[in-house]
PDB file of all heavy atoms in Angstrom:
ATOM      1  N   SER A  27       0.817  -1.228   0.000  1.00 61.00           N
ATOM      2  CA  SER A  27       0.000   0.000   0.000  1.00 61.00           C
ATOM      3  C   SER A  27       0.841   1.264   0.000  1.00 61.00           C
ATOM      4  O   SER A  27       0.449   2.274  -0.580  1.00 61.00           O
ATOM      5  CB  SER A  27      -0.935  -0.001   1.221  1.00 61.00           C
ATOM      6  OG  SER A  27      -0.172  -0.095   2.416  1.00 61.00           O
ATOM      7  N   ALA A  28       2.004   1.213   0.676  1.00 60.00           N
ATOM      8  CA  ALA A  28       2.877   2.400   0.711  1.00 60.00           C
ATOM      9  C   ALA A  28       3.338   2.772  -0.682  1.00 60.00           C
ATOM     10  O   ALA A  28       3.371   3.958  -1.052  1.00 60.00           O
ATOM     11  CB  ALA A  28       4.076   2.139   1.615  1.00 60.00           C
ATOM     12  N   VAL A  29       3.687   1.745  -1.469  1.00 64.00           N
ATOM     13  CA  VAL A  29       4.121   2.001  -2.850  1.00 64.00           C
ATOM     14  C   VAL A  29       2.969   2.534  -3.679  1.00 64.00           C
ATOM     15  O   VAL A  29       3.126   3.463  -4.480  1.00 64.00           O
ATOM     16  CB  VAL A  29       4.686   0.710  -3.482  1.00 64.00           C
ATOM     17  CG1 VAL A  29       5.096   0.957  -4.935  1.00 64.00           C
ATOM     18  CG2 VAL A  29       5.863   0.192  -2.674  1.00 64.00           C
ATOM     19  N   ILE A  30       1.765   1.963  -3.473  1.00 62.00           N
ATOM     20  CA  ILE A  30       0.578   2.415  -4.210  1.00 62.00           C
ATOM     21  C   ILE A  30       0.262   3.867  -3.875  1.00 62.00           C
ATOM     22  O   ILE A  30      -0.043   4.677  -4.755  1.00 62.00           O
ATOM     23  CB  ILE A  30      -0.617   1.503  -3.889  1.00 62.00           C
ATOM     24  CG1 ILE A  30      -0.348   0.087  -4.403  1.00 62.00           C
ATOM     25  CG2 ILE A  30      -1.896   2.061  -4.501  1.00 62.00           C
ATOM     26  CD1 ILE A  30      -1.398  -0.923  -3.988  1.00 62.00           C
ATOM     27  N   LEU A  31       0.357   4.200  -2.573  1.00 63.00           N
ATOM     28  CA  LEU A  31       0.096   5.588  -2.163  1.00 63.00           C
ATOM     29  C   LEU A  31       1.101   6.541  -2.785  1.00 63.00           C
ATOM     30  O   LEU A  31       0.756   7.663  -3.149  1.00 63.00           O
ATOM     31  CB  LEU A  31       0.144   5.694  -0.633  1.00 63.00           C
ATOM     32  CG  LEU A  31      -1.033   5.075   0.128  1.00 63.00           C
ATOM     33  CD1 LEU A  31      -0.774   5.132   1.628  1.00 63.00           C
ATOM     34  CD2 LEU A  31      -2.332   5.793  -0.212  1.00 63.00           C
ATOM     35  N   LEU A  32       2.342   6.095  -2.902  1.00 66.00           N
ATOM     36  CA  LEU A  32       3.376   6.939  -3.512  1.00 66.00           C
ATOM     37  C   LEU A  32       3.082   7.154  -4.990  1.00 66.00           C
ATOM     38  O   LEU A  32       3.230   8.268  -5.511  1.00 66.00           O
ATOM     39  CB  LEU A  32       4.751   6.295  -3.324  1.00 66.00           C
ATOM     40  CG  LEU A  32       5.941   7.093  -3.857  1.00 66.00           C
ATOM     41  CD1 LEU A  32       6.065   8.424  -3.116  1.00 66.00           C
ATOM     42  CD2 LEU A  32       7.233   6.294  -3.722  1.00 66.00           C
ATOM     43  N   ILE A  33       2.650   6.085  -5.666  1.00 64.00           N
ATOM     44  CA  ILE A  33       2.362   6.184  -7.103  1.00 64.00           C
ATOM     45  C   ILE A  33       1.178   7.108  -7.356  1.00 64.00           C
ATOM     46  O   ILE A  33       1.197   7.933  -8.270  1.00 64.00           O
ATOM     47  CB  ILE A  33       2.075   4.776  -7.690  1.00 64.00           C
ATOM     48  CG1 ILE A  33       3.356   3.921  -7.624  1.00 64.00           C
ATOM     49  CG2 ILE A  33       1.571   4.885  -9.126  1.00 64.00           C
ATOM     50  CD1 ILE A  33       3.134   2.468  -8.014  1.00 64.00           C
ATOM     51  N   PHE A  34       0.136   6.992  -6.507  1.00 66.00           N
ATOM     52  CA  PHE A  34      -1.085   7.782  -6.706  1.00 66.00           C
ATOM     53  C   PHE A  34      -1.125   9.010  -5.798  1.00 66.00           C
ATOM     54  O   PHE A  34      -2.192   9.523  -5.503  1.00 66.00           O
ATOM     55  CB  PHE A  34      -2.317   6.901  -6.455  1.00 66.00           C
ATOM     56  CG  PHE A  34      -2.524   5.822  -7.473  1.00 66.00           C
ATOM     57  CD1 PHE A  34      -2.131   4.524  -7.207  1.00 66.00           C
ATOM     58  CD2 PHE A  34      -3.075   6.117  -8.710  1.00 66.00           C
ATOM     59  CE1 PHE A  34      -2.308   3.533  -8.161  1.00 66.00           C
ATOM     60  CE2 PHE A  34      -3.257   5.131  -9.663  1.00 66.00           C
ATOM     61  CZ  PHE A  34      -2.870   3.827  -9.390  1.00 66.00           C
ATOM     62  N   ARG A  35       0.043   9.480  -5.370  1.00 70.00           N
ATOM     63  CA  ARG A  35       0.115  10.620  -4.450  1.00 70.00           C
ATOM     64  C   ARG A  35      -0.589  11.847  -5.027  1.00 70.00           C
ATOM     65  O   ARG A  35      -1.445  12.455  -4.373  1.00 70.00           O
ATOM     66  CB  ARG A  35       1.574  10.940  -4.156  1.00 70.00           C
ATOM     67  CG  ARG A  35       1.781  12.223  -3.372  1.00 70.00           C
ATOM     68  CD  ARG A  35       3.260  12.467  -3.125  1.00 70.00           C
ATOM     69  NE  ARG A  35       3.480  13.784  -2.555  1.00 70.00           N
ATOM     70  CZ  ARG A  35       3.628  14.889  -3.266  1.00 70.00           C
ATOM     71  NH1 ARG A  35       3.590  14.848  -4.587  1.00 70.00           N
ATOM     72  NH2 ARG A  35       3.827  16.051  -2.670  1.00 70.00           N
ATOM     73  N   ASP A  36      -0.239  12.230  -6.264  1.00 69.00           N
ATOM     74  CA  ASP A  36      -0.833  13.426  -6.878  1.00 69.00           C
ATOM     75  C   ASP A  36      -2.334  13.270  -7.079  1.00 69.00           C
ATOM     76  O   ASP A  36      -3.097  14.222  -6.902  1.00 69.00           O
ATOM     77  CB  ASP A  36      -0.147  13.726  -8.218  1.00 69.00           C
ATOM     78  CG  ASP A  36       1.284  14.211  -8.024  1.00 69.00           C
ATOM     79  OD1 ASP A  36       1.606  14.658  -6.906  1.00 69.00           O
ATOM     80  OD2 ASP A  36       2.078  14.119  -8.977  1.00 69.00           O
ATOM     81  N   THR A  37      -2.742  12.056  -7.452  1.00 69.00           N
ATOM     82  CA  THR A  37      -4.171  11.810  -7.670  1.00 69.00           C
ATOM     83  C   THR A  37      -4.950  11.954  -6.363  1.00 69.00           C
ATOM     84  O   THR A  37      -6.016  12.585  -6.320  1.00 69.00           O
ATOM     85  CB  THR A  37      -4.390  10.399  -8.243  1.00 69.00           C
ATOM     86  OG1 THR A  37      -3.662  10.284  -9.476  1.00 69.00           O
ATOM     87  CG2 THR A  37      -5.862  10.144  -8.506  1.00 69.00           C
ATOM     88  N   ILE A  38      -4.410  11.381  -5.288  1.00 70.00           N
ATOM     89  CA  ILE A  38      -5.078  11.461  -3.985  1.00 70.00           C
ATOM     90  C   ILE A  38      -5.130  12.904  -3.503  1.00 70.00           C
ATOM     91  O   ILE A  38      -6.171  13.391  -3.034  1.00 70.00           O
ATOM     92  CB  ILE A  38      -4.358  10.569  -2.960  1.00 70.00           C
ATOM     93  CG1 ILE A  38      -4.481   9.099  -3.364  1.00 70.00           C
ATOM     94  CG2 ILE A  38      -4.920  10.778  -1.563  1.00 70.00           C
ATOM     95  CD1 ILE A  38      -3.614   8.157  -2.572  1.00 70.00           C
ATOM     96  N   MET A  39      -4.002  13.615  -3.633  1.00 74.00           N
ATOM     97  CA  MET A  39      -3.962  15.013  -3.216  1.00 74.00           C
ATOM     98  C   MET A  39      -4.923  15.861  -4.042  1.00 74.00           C
ATOM     99  O   MET A  39      -5.611  16.746  -3.524  1.00 74.00           O
ATOM    100  CB  MET A  39      -2.538  15.565  -3.347  1.00 74.00           C
ATOM    101  CG  MET A  39      -1.558  14.997  -2.331  1.00 74.00           C
ATOM    102  SD  MET A  39       0.111  15.644  -2.543  1.00 74.00           S
ATOM    103  CE  MET A  39      -0.147  17.376  -2.176  1.00 74.00           C
ATOM    104  N   GLY A  40      -4.970  15.578  -5.345  1.00 72.00           N
ATOM    105  CA  GLY A  40      -5.886  16.314  -6.217  1.00 72.00           C
ATOM    106  C   GLY A  40      -7.335  16.059  -5.864  1.00 72.00           C
ATOM    107  O   GLY A  40      -8.160  16.985  -5.877  1.00 72.00           O
ATOM    108  N   PHE A  41      -7.655  14.800  -5.526  1.00 70.00           N
ATOM    109  CA  PHE A  41      -9.031  14.460  -5.153  1.00 70.00           C
ATOM    110  C   PHE A  41      -9.437  15.177  -3.868  1.00 70.00           C
ATOM    111  O   PHE A  41     -10.509  15.779  -3.779  1.00 70.00           O
ATOM    112  CB  PHE A  41      -9.154  12.944  -4.993  1.00 70.00           C
ATOM    113  CG  PHE A  41     -10.481  12.506  -4.454  1.00 70.00           C
ATOM    114  CD1 PHE A  41     -11.666  12.845  -5.104  1.00 70.00           C
ATOM    115  CD2 PHE A  41     -10.572  11.763  -3.288  1.00 70.00           C
ATOM    116  CE1 PHE A  41     -12.896  12.452  -4.614  1.00 70.00           C
ATOM    117  CE2 PHE A  41     -11.787  11.361  -2.789  1.00 70.00           C
ATOM    118  CZ  PHE A  41     -12.958  11.705  -3.455  1.00 70.00           C
ATOM    119  N   VAL A  42      -8.565  15.108  -2.856  1.00 73.00           N
ATOM    120  CA  VAL A  42      -8.850  15.779  -1.588  1.00 73.00           C
ATOM    121  C   VAL A  42      -8.992  17.278  -1.799  1.00 73.00           C
ATOM    122  O   VAL A  42      -9.899  17.930  -1.258  1.00 73.00           O
ATOM    123  CB  VAL A  42      -7.744  15.472  -0.559  1.00 73.00           C
ATOM    124  CG1 VAL A  42      -7.957  16.289   0.716  1.00 73.00           C
ATOM    125  CG2 VAL A  42      -7.712  13.989  -0.230  1.00 73.00           C
ATOM    126  N   ALA A  43      -8.088  17.840  -2.618  1.00 75.00           N
ATOM    127  CA  ALA A  43      -8.125  19.286  -2.885  1.00 75.00           C
ATOM    128  C   ALA A  43      -9.406  19.674  -3.611  1.00 75.00           C
ATOM    129  O   ALA A  43     -10.028  20.693  -3.289  1.00 75.00           O
ATOM    130  CB  ALA A  43      -6.907  19.700  -3.701  1.00 75.00           C
ATOM    131  N   SER A  44      -9.805  18.876  -4.600  1.00 71.00           N
ATOM    132  CA  SER A  44     -11.017  19.208  -5.359  1.00 71.00           C
ATOM    133  C   SER A  44     -12.256  19.159  -4.470  1.00 71.00           C
ATOM    134  O   SER A  44     -13.173  19.968  -4.629  1.00 71.00           O
ATOM    135  CB  SER A  44     -11.181  18.246  -6.544  1.00 71.00           C
ATOM    136  OG  SER A  44     -11.375  16.918  -6.098  1.00 71.00           O
ATOM    137  N   LEU A  45     -12.270  18.221  -3.506  1.00 67.00           N
ATOM    138  CA  LEU A  45     -13.387  18.168  -2.563  1.00 67.00           C
ATOM    139  C   LEU A  45     -13.404  19.411  -1.680  1.00 67.00           C
ATOM    140  O   LEU A  45     -14.461  20.013  -1.454  1.00 67.00           O
ATOM    141  CB  LEU A  45     -13.280  16.909  -1.699  1.00 67.00           C
ATOM    142  CG  LEU A  45     -13.604  15.567  -2.366  1.00 67.00           C
ATOM    143  CD1 LEU A  45     -13.400  14.424  -1.382  1.00 67.00           C
ATOM    144  CD2 LEU A  45     -15.035  15.548  -2.895  1.00 67.00           C
ATOM    145  N   GLN A  46     -12.239  19.809  -1.178  1.00 70.00           N
ATOM    146  CA  GLN A  46     -12.172  20.994  -0.316  1.00 70.00           C
ATOM    147  C   GLN A  46     -12.528  22.255  -1.079  1.00 70.00           C
ATOM    148  O   GLN A  46     -13.213  23.139  -0.560  1.00 70.00           O
ATOM    149  CB  GLN A  46     -10.770  21.112   0.289  1.00 70.00           C
ATOM    150  CG  GLN A  46     -10.459  20.051   1.322  1.00 70.00           C
ATOM    151  CD  GLN A  46      -9.106  20.265   1.976  1.00 70.00           C
ATOM    152  OE1 GLN A  46      -8.234  20.903   1.417  1.00 70.00           O
ATOM    153  NE2 GLN A  46      -8.919  19.713   3.163  1.00 70.00           N
ATOM    154  N   VAL A  47     -12.065  22.341  -2.329  1.00 72.00           N
ATOM    155  CA  VAL A  47     -12.383  23.504  -3.166  1.00 72.00           C
ATOM    156  C   VAL A  47     -13.881  23.597  -3.390  1.00 72.00           C
ATOM    157  O   VAL A  47     -14.472  24.679  -3.337  1.00 72.00           O
ATOM    158  CB  VAL A  47     -11.636  23.419  -4.508  1.00 72.00           C
ATOM    159  CG1 VAL A  47     -12.193  24.434  -5.502  1.00 72.00           C
ATOM    160  CG2 VAL A  47     -10.143  23.683  -4.298  1.00 72.00           C
ATOM    161  N   SER A  48     -14.515  22.431  -3.624  1.00 68.00           N
ATOM    162  CA  SER A  48     -15.958  22.418  -3.872  1.00 68.00           C
ATOM    163  C   SER A  48     -16.753  22.698  -2.604  1.00 68.00           C
ATOM    164  O   SER A  48     -17.676  23.518  -2.603  1.00 68.00           O
ATOM    165  CB  SER A  48     -16.359  21.058  -4.456  1.00 68.00           C
ATOM    166  OG  SER A  48     -17.753  20.984  -4.640  1.00 68.00           O
ATOM    167  N   ILE A  49     -16.386  22.027  -1.507  1.00 62.00           N
ATOM    168  CA  ILE A  49     -17.137  22.185  -0.256  1.00 62.00           C
ATOM    169  C   ILE A  49     -17.023  23.610   0.275  1.00 62.00           C
ATOM    170  O   ILE A  49     -18.003  24.206   0.723  1.00 62.00           O
ATOM    171  CB  ILE A  49     -16.643  21.161   0.787  1.00 62.00           C
ATOM    172  CG1 ILE A  49     -17.008  19.741   0.332  1.00 62.00           C
ATOM    173  CG2 ILE A  49     -17.243  21.454   2.164  1.00 62.00           C
ATOM    174  CD1 ILE A  49     -16.377  18.646   1.171  1.00 62.00           C
ATOM    175  N   ASN A  50     -15.810  24.170   0.230  1.00 67.00           N
ATOM    176  CA  ASN A  50     -15.578  25.524   0.756  1.00 67.00           C
ATOM    177  C   ASN A  50     -15.892  26.614  -0.263  1.00 67.00           C
ATOM    178  O   ASN A  50     -15.737  27.804   0.041  1.00 67.00           O
ATOM    179  CB  ASN A  50     -14.124  25.658   1.217  1.00 67.00           C
ATOM    180  CG  ASN A  50     -13.793  24.718   2.359  1.00 67.00           C
ATOM    181  OD1 ASN A  50     -14.620  24.492   3.227  1.00 67.00           O
ATOM    182  ND2 ASN A  50     -12.599  24.152   2.347  1.00 67.00           N
ATOM    183  N   ASP A  51     -16.280  26.207  -1.476  1.00 70.00           N
ATOM    184  CA  ASP A  51     -16.654  27.159  -2.528  1.00 70.00           C
ATOM    185  C   ASP A  51     -15.525  28.173  -2.779  1.00 70.00           C
ATOM    186  O   ASP A  51     -15.758  29.376  -2.889  1.00 70.00           O
ATOM    187  CB  ASP A  51     -17.944  27.889  -2.147  1.00 70.00           C
ATOM    188  CG  ASP A  51     -18.604  28.546  -3.355  1.00 70.00           C
ATOM    189  OD1 ASP A  51     -18.314  28.124  -4.494  1.00 70.00           O
ATOM    190  OD2 ASP A  51     -19.387  29.480  -3.167  1.00 70.00           O
ATOM    191  N   MET A  52     -14.299  27.665  -2.859  1.00 79.00           N
ATOM    192  CA  MET A  52     -13.141  28.538  -3.051  1.00 79.00           C
ATOM    193  C   MET A  52     -13.037  29.034  -4.494  1.00 79.00           C
ATOM    194  O   MET A  52     -12.686  30.191  -4.735  1.00 79.00           O
ATOM    195  CB  MET A  52     -11.861  27.799  -2.661  1.00 79.00           C
ATOM    196  CG  MET A  52     -11.791  27.401  -1.193  1.00 79.00           C
ATOM    197  SD  MET A  52     -10.429  26.270  -0.843  1.00 79.00           S
ATOM    198  CE  MET A  52      -9.035  27.321  -1.226  1.00 79.00           C
ATOM    199  N   VAL A  53     -13.314  28.150  -5.438  1.00 84.00           N
ATOM    200  CA  VAL A  53     -13.207  28.494  -6.860  1.00 84.00           C
ATOM    201  C   VAL A  53     -14.348  27.828  -7.604  1.00 84.00           C
ATOM    202  O   VAL A  53     -14.694  26.675  -7.329  1.00 84.00           O
ATOM    203  CB  VAL A  53     -11.860  28.021  -7.465  1.00 84.00           C
ATOM    204  CG1 VAL A  53     -11.813  28.302  -8.954  1.00 84.00           C
ATOM    205  CG2 VAL A  53     -10.691  28.713  -6.783  1.00 84.00           C
ATOM    206  N   GLN A  54     -14.925  28.556  -8.538  1.00 81.00           N
ATOM    207  CA  GLN A  54     -15.949  28.007  -9.416  1.00 81.00           C
ATOM    208  C   GLN A  54     -15.529  28.235 -10.858  1.00 81.00           C
ATOM    209  O   GLN A  54     -14.723  29.127 -11.147  1.00 81.00           O
ATOM    210  CB  GLN A  54     -17.295  28.686  -9.172  1.00 81.00           C
ATOM    211  CG  GLN A  54     -17.842  28.523  -7.766  1.00 81.00           C
ATOM    212  CD  GLN A  54     -19.140  29.277  -7.564  1.00 81.00           C
ATOM    213  OE1 GLN A  54     -19.632  29.945  -8.468  1.00 81.00           O
ATOM    214  NE2 GLN A  54     -19.687  29.189  -6.357  1.00 81.00           N
ATOM    215  N   ILE A  55     -16.065  27.434 -11.740  1.00 82.00           N
ATOM    216  CA  ILE A  55     -15.812  27.644 -13.165  1.00 82.00           C
ATOM    217  C   ILE A  55     -16.412  28.994 -13.568  1.00 82.00           C
ATOM    218  O   ILE A  55     -17.559  29.282 -13.273  1.00 82.00           O
ATOM    219  CB  ILE A  55     -16.416  26.498 -14.005  1.00 82.00           C
ATOM    220  CG1 ILE A  55     -15.689  25.186 -13.705  1.00 82.00           C
ATOM    221  CG2 ILE A  55     -16.323  26.812 -15.502  1.00 82.00           C
ATOM    222  CD1 ILE A  55     -16.292  23.976 -14.378  1.00 82.00           C
ATOM    223  N   GLY A  56     -15.605  29.811 -14.215  1.00 82.00           N
ATOM    224  CA  GLY A  56     -16.028  31.153 -14.593  1.00 82.00           C
ATOM    225  C   GLY A  56     -15.470  32.231 -13.695  1.00 82.00           C
ATOM    226  O   GLY A  56     -15.555  33.418 -14.026  1.00 82.00           O
ATOM    227  N   ASP A  57     -14.896  31.843 -12.542  1.00 85.00           N
ATOM    228  CA  ASP A  57     -14.299  32.833 -11.636  1.00 85.00           C
ATOM    229  C   ASP A  57     -13.037  33.443 -12.262  1.00 85.00           C
ATOM    230  O   ASP A  57     -12.268  32.749 -12.939  1.00 85.00           O
ATOM    231  CB  ASP A  57     -13.917  32.184 -10.300  1.00 85.00           C
ATOM    232  CG  ASP A  57     -15.115  31.973  -9.401  1.00 85.00           C
ATOM    233  OD1 ASP A  57     -16.221  32.406  -9.784  1.00 85.00           O
ATOM    234  OD2 ASP A  57     -14.953  31.376  -8.324  1.00 85.00           O
ATOM    235  N   TRP A  58     -12.836  34.707 -11.975  1.00 86.00           N
ATOM    236  CA  TRP A  58     -11.589  35.374 -12.350  1.00 86.00           C
ATOM    237  C   TRP A  58     -10.645  35.246 -11.164  1.00 86.00           C
ATOM    238  O   TRP A  58     -10.935  35.724 -10.064  1.00 86.00           O
ATOM    239  CB  TRP A  58     -11.862  36.838 -12.702  1.00 86.00           C
ATOM    240  CG  TRP A  58     -10.613  37.688 -12.846  1.00 86.00           C
ATOM    241  CD1 TRP A  58      -9.338  37.262 -13.055  1.00 86.00           C
ATOM    242  CD2 TRP A  58     -10.544  39.121 -12.797  1.00 86.00           C
ATOM    243  NE1 TRP A  58      -8.468  38.311 -13.140  1.00 86.00           N
ATOM    244  CE2 TRP A  58      -9.178  39.472 -12.972  1.00 86.00           C
ATOM    245  CE3 TRP A  58     -11.483  40.121 -12.609  1.00 86.00           C
ATOM    246  CZ2 TRP A  58      -8.746  40.793 -12.979  1.00 86.00           C
ATOM    247  CZ3 TRP A  58     -11.056  41.435 -12.607  1.00 86.00           C
ATOM    248  CH2 TRP A  58      -9.710  41.771 -12.804  1.00 86.00           C
ATOM    249  N   ILE A  59      -9.509  34.560 -11.376  1.00 90.00           N
ATOM    250  CA  ILE A  59      -8.535  34.407 -10.301  1.00 90.00           C
ATOM    251  C   ILE A  59      -7.172  34.921 -10.751  1.00 90.00           C
ATOM    252  O   ILE A  59      -6.859  34.932 -11.937  1.00 90.00           O
ATOM    253  CB  ILE A  59      -8.408  32.944  -9.826  1.00 90.00           C
ATOM    254  CG1 ILE A  59      -7.788  32.058 -10.915  1.00 90.00           C
ATOM    255  CG2 ILE A  59      -9.734  32.401  -9.357  1.00 90.00           C
ATOM    256  CD1 ILE A  59      -7.427  30.666 -10.423  1.00 90.00           C
ATOM    257  N   THR A  60      -6.386  35.350  -9.772  1.00 91.00           N
ATOM    258  CA  THR A  60      -5.007  35.769 -10.012  1.00 91.00           C
ATOM    259  C   THR A  60      -4.116  34.912  -9.130  1.00 91.00           C
ATOM    260  O   THR A  60      -4.258  34.904  -7.912  1.00 91.00           O
ATOM    261  CB  THR A  60      -4.810  37.254  -9.654  1.00 91.00           C
ATOM    262  OG1 THR A  60      -5.714  38.046 -10.452  1.00 91.00           O
ATOM    263  CG2 THR A  60      -3.388  37.690  -9.944  1.00 91.00           C
ATOM    264  N   PHE A  61      -3.204  34.172  -9.767  1.00 90.00           N
ATOM    265  CA  PHE A  61      -2.293  33.278  -9.060  1.00 90.00           C
ATOM    266  C   PHE A  61      -0.873  33.603  -9.536  1.00 90.00           C
ATOM    267  O   PHE A  61      -0.392  33.067 -10.526  1.00 90.00           O
ATOM    268  CB  PHE A  61      -2.634  31.814  -9.381  1.00 90.00           C
ATOM    269  CG  PHE A  61      -2.339  30.860  -8.268  1.00 90.00           C
ATOM    270  CD1 PHE A  61      -3.229  29.853  -7.949  1.00 90.00           C
ATOM    271  CD2 PHE A  61      -1.171  30.942  -7.544  1.00 90.00           C
ATOM    272  CE1 PHE A  61      -2.971  28.958  -6.920  1.00 90.00           C
ATOM    273  CE2 PHE A  61      -0.893  30.071  -6.520  1.00 90.00           C
ATOM    274  CZ  PHE A  61      -1.797  29.069  -6.207  1.00 90.00           C
ATOM    275  N   GLU A  62      -0.233  34.516  -8.802  1.00 87.00           N
ATOM    276  CA  GLU A  62       1.060  35.035  -9.244  1.00 87.00           C
ATOM    277  C   GLU A  62       2.121  33.944  -9.342  1.00 87.00           C
ATOM    278  O   GLU A  62       2.990  33.999 -10.221  1.00 87.00           O
ATOM    279  CB  GLU A  62       1.530  36.131  -8.287  1.00 87.00           C
ATOM    280  CG  GLU A  62       0.642  37.381  -8.325  1.00 87.00           C
ATOM    281  CD  GLU A  62       1.145  38.474  -7.406  1.00 87.00           C
ATOM    282  OE1 GLU A  62       2.195  38.260  -6.755  1.00 87.00           O
ATOM    283  OE2 GLU A  62       0.491  39.530  -7.332  1.00 87.00           O
ATOM    284  N   LYS A  63       2.087  32.962  -8.475  1.00 88.00           N
ATOM    285  CA  LYS A  63       3.100  31.910  -8.467  1.00 88.00           C
ATOM    286  C   LYS A  63       3.144  31.165  -9.795  1.00 88.00           C
ATOM    287  O   LYS A  63       4.215  30.770 -10.265  1.00 88.00           O
ATOM    288  CB  LYS A  63       2.819  30.929  -7.325  1.00 88.00           C
ATOM    289  CG  LYS A  63       3.827  29.789  -7.233  1.00 88.00           C
ATOM    290  CD  LYS A  63       3.520  28.897  -6.047  1.00 88.00           C
ATOM    291  CE  LYS A  63       4.507  27.720  -5.989  1.00 88.00           C
ATOM    292  NZ  LYS A  63       4.229  26.838  -4.830  1.00 88.00           N
ATOM    293  N   PHE A  64       1.979  30.969 -10.405  1.00 89.00           N
ATOM    294  CA  PHE A  64       1.903  30.231 -11.665  1.00 89.00           C
ATOM    295  C   PHE A  64       1.671  31.147 -12.867  1.00 89.00           C
ATOM    296  O   PHE A  64       1.450  30.665 -13.981  1.00 89.00           O
ATOM    297  CB  PHE A  64       0.787  29.177 -11.598  1.00 89.00           C
ATOM    298  CG  PHE A  64       1.039  28.099 -10.583  1.00 89.00           C
ATOM    299  CD1 PHE A  64       0.532  28.204  -9.296  1.00 89.00           C
ATOM    300  CD2 PHE A  64       1.809  26.997 -10.894  1.00 89.00           C
ATOM    301  CE1 PHE A  64       0.768  27.220  -8.351  1.00 89.00           C
ATOM    302  CE2 PHE A  64       2.054  26.002  -9.959  1.00 89.00           C
ATOM    303  CZ  PHE A  64       1.531  26.118  -8.680  1.00 89.00           C
ATOM    304  N   GLY A  65       1.687  32.452 -12.636  1.00 88.00           N
ATOM    305  CA  GLY A  65       1.496  33.394 -13.735  1.00 88.00           C
ATOM    306  C   GLY A  65       0.097  33.365 -14.318  1.00 88.00           C
ATOM    307  O   GLY A  65      -0.089  33.644 -15.505  1.00 88.00           O
ATOM    308  N   ALA A  66      -0.879  33.041 -13.493  1.00 90.00           N
ATOM    309  CA  ALA A  66      -2.267  32.942 -13.968  1.00 90.00           C
ATOM    310  C   ALA A  66      -3.033  34.211 -13.605  1.00 90.00           C
ATOM    311  O   ALA A  66      -2.973  34.679 -12.471  1.00 90.00           O
ATOM    312  CB  ALA A  66      -2.959  31.729 -13.354  1.00 90.00           C
ATOM    313  N   ASP A  67      -3.743  34.752 -14.571  1.00 89.00           N
ATOM    314  CA  ASP A  67      -4.587  35.925 -14.347  1.00 89.00           C
ATOM    315  C   ASP A  67      -5.692  35.894 -15.389  1.00 89.00           C
ATOM    316  O   ASP A  67      -5.547  36.406 -16.499  1.00 89.00           O
ATOM    317  CB  ASP A  67      -3.768  37.211 -14.461  1.00 89.00           C
ATOM    318  CG  ASP A  67      -4.591  38.451 -14.093  1.00 89.00           C
ATOM    319  OD1 ASP A  67      -5.660  38.289 -13.485  1.00 89.00           O
ATOM    320  OD2 ASP A  67      -4.172  39.579 -14.421  1.00 89.00           O
ATOM    321  N   GLY A  68      -6.804  35.250 -15.036  1.00 89.00           N
ATOM    322  CA  GLY A  68      -7.889  35.119 -16.000  1.00 89.00           C
ATOM    323  C   GLY A  68      -9.031  34.290 -15.430  1.00 89.00           C
ATOM    324  O   GLY A  68      -9.185  34.158 -14.214  1.00 89.00           O
ATOM    325  N   ASP A  69      -9.827  33.705 -16.317  1.00 89.00           N
ATOM    326  CA  ASP A  69     -11.043  32.984 -15.924  1.00 89.00           C
ATOM    327  C   ASP A  69     -10.785  31.483 -15.839  1.00 89.00           C
ATOM    328  O   ASP A  69     -10.125  30.906 -16.715  1.00 89.00           O
ATOM    329  CB  ASP A  69     -12.162  33.246 -16.936  1.00 89.00           C
ATOM    330  CG  ASP A  69     -12.538  34.726 -16.998  1.00 89.00           C
ATOM    331  OD1 ASP A  69     -12.460  35.385 -15.946  1.00 89.00           O
ATOM    332  OD2 ASP A  69     -12.885  35.217 -18.090  1.00 89.00           O
ATOM    333  N   VAL A  70     -11.341  30.860 -14.803  1.00 89.00           N
ATOM    334  CA  VAL A  70     -11.251  29.408 -14.656  1.00 89.00           C
ATOM    335  C   VAL A  70     -12.187  28.756 -15.671  1.00 89.00           C
ATOM    336  O   VAL A  70     -13.380  29.054 -15.703  1.00 89.00           O
ATOM    337  CB  VAL A  70     -11.642  28.979 -13.225  1.00 89.00           C
ATOM    338  CG1 VAL A  70     -11.645  27.464 -13.088  1.00 89.00           C
ATOM    339  CG2 VAL A  70     -10.694  29.604 -12.210  1.00 89.00           C
TER     340      VAL A  70
END
């Protein structure tokens, strides 16, 4: 299981993050966001 968790680390983190984003209503499709770290400034 440790190896499996390592292989699917990004997938698990992405799933947990997507749930938190949805539950906390942090970002919706169509939102204008600015994310300087990734050079993003526009609509989701």
Side-chain angles (χ1 to χ4, degrees):
S27 58
V29 178
I30 295 173
L31 288 174
L32 183 63
I33 294 173
F34 292 100
R35 172 180 171 273
D36 290 340
T37 302
I38 295 170
M39 290 179 64
F41 173 57
V42 174
S44 64
L45 287 178
Q46 290 184 337
V47 167
S48 177
I49 293 171
N50 297 323
D51 198 21
M52 297 169 64
V53 176
Q54 299 177 359
I55 294 174
D57 282 356
W58 169 19
I59 67 170
T60 301
F61 211 138
E62 294 182 1
K63 180 177 178 180
F64 295 94
D67 186 15
D69 298 327
V70 176

